[in-house]
């Protein structure tokens, strides 16, 4: 019985090896033929699923060609360094990720994901700046203005200068929660951080100010803010109170 199985293996083995060799040869031939092709054109796709337009197709093409000094169209694909082009695109502050690859037909594709800000830091004596979900500081752009909550106050100015402490992390928690909560995001216009790190929230509609105190127990405080909008706001309206404190546990203080 063992001898029979041994014979079967010996008969099948060469066929499998032969098939692998043929497939490898075909793969090598196709790859060689593809890379012998020349770049016929460049196609750029910029992710704008969040309606952010900091990066355009034209600007990506300029980065890929280094404003015309790097020839791509007409060049053999085997001469084009795709990784180097990706790195050049990702140098742009508003590019989070870039993927560059060549198609079988000779088209050079670039897929770009934008670096999306979640808030804008406003500074009366210096240029404004954006901040993204990871806490990275981004410059403003003359091309596009993002509709995001504003961050103001003496302490917020330190964020642009690289200060990352407990206050910074607390503020980032607030901003991330607002970004992820579509309802609250639609209500909030501005977050103010005073020199001691205490937070105040200004709504889109109305003159009342929501006080959070120090950026601690953020989930609890924002849950109370949602409760206020669901159970008090519909009956009292946007201007019933000047001040609404969410700082203290198990209570909302309205004045």
């Amino acid at each position: 019985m063992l001898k029979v199985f041994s014979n079967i293996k010996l008969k099948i083995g060469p066929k499998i090896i032969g098939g692998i060799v043929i497939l490898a040869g075909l793969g090598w031939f196709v790859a060689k033929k593809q890379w012998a092709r020349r770049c016929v054109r460049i196609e750029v796709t910029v992710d704008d699923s969040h309606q952010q337009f900091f990066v355009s197709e034209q600007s990506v093409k300029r980065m890929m060609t280094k404003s015309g000094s790097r020839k791509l169209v007409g060049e053999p694909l085997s001469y084009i360094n795709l990784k180097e082009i990706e790195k050049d695109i990702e140098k742009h502050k508003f590019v989070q990720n870039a993927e560059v690859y060549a198609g079988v037909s000779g088209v050079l594709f670039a897929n770009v994901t934008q670096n999306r800000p979640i808030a804008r830091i406003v500074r009366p004596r210096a240029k404004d700046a954006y901040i993204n979900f990871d806490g990275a500081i981004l410059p403003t752009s003359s091309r596009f203005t993002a509709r995001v909550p504003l961050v103001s106050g003496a302490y917020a100015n330190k964020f642009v200068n690289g200060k990352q402490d407990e206050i910074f992390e607390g503020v980032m928690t607030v901003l991330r929660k607002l970004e992820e909560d579509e309802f609250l995001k639609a209500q909030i216009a501005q977050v103010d951080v005073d020199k001691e790190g205490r937070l105040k929230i200004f709504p889109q509609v109305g003159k009342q100010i929501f006080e959070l105190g120090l950026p601690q127990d953020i989930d609890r405080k924002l849950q109370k803010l949602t409760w206020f909008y669901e159970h008090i706001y519909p009956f009292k309206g946007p201007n019933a109170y000047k001040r609404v404190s969410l700082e203290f546990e198990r209570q909302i203080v309205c004045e």
Side-chain angles (χ1 to χ4, degrees):
M1 182 67 70
L2 291 176
K3 185 176 181 181
V4 172
F5 283 129
S6 177
N7 290 336
I8 292 174
K9 289 181 181 179
L10 288 174
K11 291 179 181 178
I12 295 177
K15 292 183 179 180
I16 295 175
I17 294 173
I20 293 173
V21 171
I22 292 172
L23 289 174
L26 287 172
W28 176 84
F29 176 77
V30 171
K32 182 179 179 181
K33 186 176 181 181
Q34 177 180 349
W35 286 101
R37 294 179 183 273
R38 295 181 181 272
C39 175
V40 295
R41 67 178 184 276
I42 300 171
E43 289 191 10
V44 175
T45 302
V46 179
D47 172 31
D48 60 355
S49 58
H50 295 277
Q51 297 298 301
Q52 305 283 9
F53 303 99
F54 291 101
V55 184
S56 68
E57 294 180 16
Q58 291 75 19
S59 64
V60 173
K61 288 181 179 179
R62 285 195 296 270
M63 288 181 270
M64 294 176 70
T65 62
K66 290 188 174 181
S67 298
S69 63
R70 175 196 280 149
K71 186 179 179 182
L72 295 177
V73 176
E75 289 293 296
L77 294 175
S78 58
Y79 290 2
I80 298 175
N81 190 327
L82 303 180
K83 291 298 181 183
E84 182 179 314
I85 295 175
E86 287 180 349
K87 290 179 180 178
D88 287 339
I89 298 173
E90 289 173 351
K91 289 177 183 177
H92 193 290
K93 281 285 188 178
F94 283 99
V95 172
Q96 184 181 63
N97 182 62
E99 293 183 355
V100 179
Y101 60 95
V104 176
S105 60
V107 178
L108 192 63
F109 295 95
N111 295 333
V112 175
T113 304
Q114 295 187 80
N115 203 346
R116 183 166 56 91
I118 62 172
R120 178 172 180 145
I121 301 174
V122 293
R123 303 189 293 167
R125 298 181 182 178
K127 290 183 178 181
D128 291 358
Y130 289 114
I131 191 165
N132 74 356
F133 198 88
D134 297 322
I137 301 300
L138 306 171
T140 55
S141 171
S142 59
R143 171 179 168 77
F144 180 73
T145 300
R147 298 185 64 181
V148 291
L150 303 179
V151 179
S152 61
Y155 211 101
N157 187 56
K158 299 178 182 180
F159 299 160
V160 181
N161 299 324
K163 188 175 183 63
Q164 297 190 4
D165 55 9
E166 291 182 3
I167 301 298
F168 173 83
E169 292 301 328
V171 173
M172 285 304 306
T173 299
V174 172
L175 296 177
R176 289 176 184 134
K177 294 291 183 181
L178 294 180
E179 175 65 20
E180 293 171 342
D181 190 315
E182 291 296 331
F183 175 76
L184 286 182
K185 184 179 180 181
Q187 313 304 323
I188 305 308
Q190 185 172 342
V191 178
D192 187 82
V193 193
D194 68 17
K195 62 181 180 180
E196 296 176 353
R198 301 179 70 83
L199 305 185
K200 293 180 180 179
I201 288 180
F202 296 86
Q204 293 280 4
V205 179
K207 298 179 180 179
Q208 54 206 2
I209 299 173
F210 298 98
E211 297 179 352
L212 272 65
L214 291 174
Q216 301 165 350
D217 299 324
I218 299 302
D219 285 340
R220 173 177 59 82
K221 294 174 182 179
L222 291 183
Q223 285 173 2
K224 288 196 292 183
L225 178 58
T226 301
W227 192 92
F228 176 90
Y229 271 110
E230 291 176 347
H231 297 90
I232 299 177
Y233 185 91
F235 302 100
K236 293 294 185 178
N239 297 310
Y241 308 105
K242 293 182 179 179
R243 171 178 168 267
V244 179
S245 176
L246 308 172
E247 182 175 0
F248 306 105
E249 191 172 356
R250 295 183 181 178
Q251 58 182 311
I252 298 175
V253 180
C254 303
E255 295 182 358

